[in-house]
Amino acid sequence: MDHEADAYRTDLMTITRFVLNEQSKYPESRGDFTILLSHIVLGCKFVCTAVNKAGLAKLIGLAGETNVQGEEQKKLDVLSNEVFVKALVSSGRTCILVSEEDEEATFVERSKRGRYCVVFDPLDGSSNIDCGVSIGTIFGIYMVKDDHDPTLDDVLQPGKHMLAAGYCMYGSSCTLVLSTGEGVNGFTLDPSLGEFILTHPDIKIPKKGKIYSVNEGNAKNWDAPTAKYVEKCKFPKDGSSPKSLRYIGSMVADVHRTLLYGGIFLYPADKKSPNGKLRVLYEVFPMSFLMEQAGGQAFTGKQRALELIPKKIHERSPIFLGSYDDVEEIKALYAAEVKGE
């Protein structure tokens, strides 16, 4: 690859241009989705800047409040949440917002209301801020029908009804990965331009991977299929090489690596967290949506993840997602256990 020539490319596909190109395929489109997305992108740029100078701006310490999950809030969490709520409301295209940091859903006042519901985790993996590990924002978008005033039921839908999902990872570079239901594309922020440029077009996850990603510290509380699967990763009986373990503990970073290199990410239910730990609406659904769009799978231990119907906005679920063949193996182990009961 000619990096020097690449540095002076003039035909740059920015995220705005990309979304406008997609919009032009739908003549009936009014551009609402494009406007909403540009506000999400602005929020991501703002948070990226805040994350980069967190230490300098004293944004690292605890804010002294506890969020709905009982986790102490970092100052950056609070800031990121405010940034996204304000950006989404001011877009004039949203009606309901569900954030990890807010106990209740936010219903947008009628004068600024639009047709979209946005579910998001403004700063996932924030316990890793202090040590410089990649963290990120996760979001999913639903559409509300025009024929009624929005209610919580408009958000409590299966993930397969999502229109779009994505995440923005703040790490060595700032990467935004997005799917609008037509495959998955990755954009990297060029700080000199202040624009996200298409760098990973049409991401496809390998059919089988060499990496598994799980918190082995919870191993003593796992159920039998998870324990068997991880044992199989480490001591394969078919003569193949063992899988490598990679676990960062920041969902965005772990899923991003899984998406690009293949393999499987597991956050199973266990005796300590019988419903799993990750939240359905703004962690499990968007990541499962992206995985399926990239040719992978997402499974809860009982069903396809995107077919779950959440009852509460902060509901949790176990999740196994990644390469198609790797998830097939864990599905077979759960099926065998159900048969044996």
Side-chain angles (χ1 to χ4, degrees), residues 268-287:
D270 58 31
K271 295 189 188 95
K272 209 168 61 178
S273 311
N275 297 320
K277 193 127 183 273
L278 297 174
R279 273 67 58 135
V280 174
L281 270 184
Y282 40 80
E283 290 176 326
V284 170
F285 278 170
M287 294 310 202

Side-chain angles (χ1 to χ4, degrees), residues 40-41 78 104 115 120 122-123 151 171 174-175 195 228 271 273 299-300 337:
I40 291 174
V41 167
V78 181
E104 303 289 335
R115 298 184 299 159
F120 61 100
L123 207 57
T151 67
C174 180
T175 309
E195 288 279 10
K228 275 182 198 159
K271 295 189 188 95
S273 311
F299 177 64
T300 66
E337 190 186 47

Side-chain angles (χ1 to χ4, degrees), residues 143-194:
M143 186 188 263
V144 176
K145 294 191 173 68
D146 283 336
D147 58 2
H148 65 276
D149 276 348
T151 67
L152 264 190
D153 289 341
D154 290 310
V155 173
L156 297 173
Q157 295 190 58
K160 63 184 180 185
H161 293 165
M162 272 184 172
L163 274 191
Y167 59 80
C168 188
M169 185 175 74
Y170 315 111
S172 55
S173 59
C174 180
T175 309
L176 196 150
V177 174
L178 174 72
S179 174
T180 54
E182 305 268 338
V184 182
N185 291 281
F187 303 83
T188 305
L189 184 63
D190 181 335
S192 62
L193 294 172

Side-chain angles (χ1 to χ4, degrees), residues 287-324:
M287 294 310 202
S288 301
F289 187 91
L290 289 165
M291 277 297 165
E292 286 198 5
Q293 285 293 321
Q297 287 196 82
F299 177 64
T300 66
K302 291 181 179 165
Q303 64 185 118
R304 176 188 171 207
L306 291 180
E307 286 177 354
L308 262 179
I309 303 172
K311 308 272 189 301
K312 302 194 295 283
I313 60 173
H314 296 296
E315 195 171 304
R316 299 171 189 258
S317 167
I319 187 68
F320 305 87
L321 51 79
S323 293
Y324 194 93

Side-chain angles (χ1 to χ4, degrees), residues 240-297:
S240 61
S241 300
K243 280 181 164 36
S244 297
L245 169 67
R246 297 280 183 276
Y247 186 69
I248 298 163
S250 175
M251 189 192 191
V252 171
D254 279 314
V255 169
H256 186 65
R257 184 201 54 248
T258 306
L259 195 60
L260 294 185
Y261 300 158
I264 188 166
F265 170 83
L266 311 88
Y267 212 118
D270 58 31
K271 295 189 188 95
K272 209 168 61 178
S273 311
N275 297 320
K277 193 127 183 273
L278 297 174
R279 273 67 58 135
V280 174
L281 270 184
Y282 40 80
E283 290 176 326
V284 170
F285 278 170
M287 294 310 202
S288 301
F289 187 91
L290 289 165
M291 277 297 165
E292 286 198 5
Q293 285 293 321
Q297 287 196 82

Side-chain angles (χ1 to χ4, degrees), residues 11 15 21 24 40 75 80 103 112-113 128 146 156 170 197 235 238 249 269 273 275-276 288 329 336:
D11 185 27
I15 192 163
N21 283 359
S24 65
I40 291 174
K75 287 181 184 176
S80 306
E103 196 159 345
K112 293 180 180 168
R113 201 177 279 173
N128 287 315
D146 283 336
L156 297 173
Y170 315 111
I197 308 296
F235 305 101
D238 60 1
S273 311
N275 297 320
S288 301
E329 282 183 39

Side-chain angles (χ1 to χ4, degrees), residues 56-259:
L56 289 172
K58 295 194 170 57
L59 285 166
I60 281 177
L62 294 170
E65 291 176 37
T66 303
N67 72 0
V68 62
Q69 312 302 337
E71 302 158 340
E72 286 189 311
Q73 282 182 301
K74 299 265 176 170
K75 287 181 184 176
L76 258 179
D77 288 22
V78 181
L79 178 78
S80 306
N81 191 44
E82 277 180 23
V83 165
F84 278 104
V85 169
K86 284 176 178 163
L88 291 165
V89 170
S90 68
S91 73
R93 300 297 183 275
T94 57
C95 53
I96 309 172
L97 309 178
V98 173
S99 165
E100 191 220 12
E101 299 296 331
D102 296 328
E103 196 159 345
E104 303 289 335
T106 301
F107 286 85
V108 178
E109 60 181 274
R110 192 177 289 275
S111 64
K112 293 180 180 168
R113 201 177 279 173
R115 298 184 299 159
Y116 295 101
C117 304
V118 182
V119 293
F120 61 100
D121 184 346
L123 207 57
D124 183 75
S126 53
S127 59
N128 287 315
I129 292 168
D130 300 21
C131 59
V133 166
S134 295
I135 51 184
T137 298
I138 310 172
F139 61 90
I141 302 170
Y142 290 101
M143 186 188 263
V144 176
K145 294 191 173 68
D146 283 336
D147 58 2
H148 65 276
D149 276 348
T151 67
L152 264 190
D153 289 341
D154 290 310
V155 173
L156 297 173
Q157 295 190 58
K160 63 184 180 185
H161 293 165
M162 272 184 172
L163 274 191
Y167 59 80
C168 188
M169 185 175 74
Y170 315 111
S172 55
S173 59
C174 180
T175 309
L176 196 150
V177 174
L178 174 72
S179 174
T180 54
E182 305 268 338
V184 182
N185 291 281
F187 303 83
T188 305
L189 184 63
D190 181 335
S192 62
L193 294 172
E195 288 279 10
F196 280 99
I197 308 296
L198 180 63
T199 49
H200 297 74
D202 197 20
I203 297 169
K204 291 274 181 261
I205 185 169
K207 201 151 186 300
K208 193 171 176 58
K210 297 178 180 160
I211 295 170
Y212 72 104
S213 182
V214 67
N215 183 353
E216 292 225 32
N218 295 329
K220 72 169 190 167
N221 295 317
W222 286 344
D223 60 14
T226 303
K228 275 182 198 159
Y229 181 77
V230 172
E231 186 71 6
K232 203 170 154 189
C233 289
K234 295 196 273 196
F235 305 101
K237 300 222 166 35
D238 60 1
S240 61
S241 300
K243 280 181 164 36
S244 297
L245 169 67
R246 297 280 183 276
Y247 186 69
I248 298 163
S250 175
M251 189 192 191
V252 171
D254 279 314
V255 169
H256 186 65
R257 184 201 54 248
T258 306
L259 195 60

